[in-house]
Amino acid sequence: MLLKSALPVALLLFGSVSFTAVQVRADEHIVMILQSAYFPDLISVEMGDTVRFVNASGSKHTVGSSEGIWSTDMIADGAEVTLEIRQAMAGRFHGWTNSLIEGRLDLIRAPLPD
C-alpha cells in the first residue's frame, strides 16, 4: 500500500526537475612549426581544445613545455601531432630547429552557462 502511494509522489517530483543541456564545443588550433618560429606563436585555448602541431621546418622536431611538464614525440618533417589541452599545458613551449624557437599557450576560461 505504501509503495502505491509513493509512486505518484516520486513521479511528481521527478517531473518537476528540469535538466538543462550545456552545449560543449572544443576548438582545434593549428600551429605551424617553421624553421625559425612557430606560427602563430601565441595561442589562446580552453580546456578540451586541441592543438595540432604541423612540422614544416625541413627537419625532425619535438615540442615541449618549457617547464618540462609535457612533450611530443619526434615529429617528422611534413608530419603532425595533435594534443588535447589540459590545465598543466598552459605556459611557454619550445623546440629546436637550427636554434631555439618558442611559443605560448594561454589558457582562457570558458564563460559559465546562464
Side-chain angles (χ1 to χ4, degrees), residues 71-100:
S71 179
T72 66
D73 290 332
M74 189 63 69
I75 308 168
D77 183 43
E80 57 188 53
V81 170
T82 301
L83 302 175
E84 184 175 338
I85 299 300
R86 299 180 318 271
Q87 182 82 27
M89 295 178 74
R92 294 201 172 281
F93 59 90
H94 70 273
W96 286 92
T97 54
N98 294 334
S99 60
L100 177 69

Side-chain angles (χ1 to χ4, degrees), residues 32-54:
M32 298 297 295
I33 303 168
L34 305 174
Q35 193 171 31
S36 60
Y38 292 110
F39 181 77
D41 63 350
L42 175 61
I43 306 100
S44 296
V45 295
E46 295 182 29
M47 295 286 289
D49 284 0
T50 56
V51 175
R52 183 167 25 133
F53 290 98
V54 179

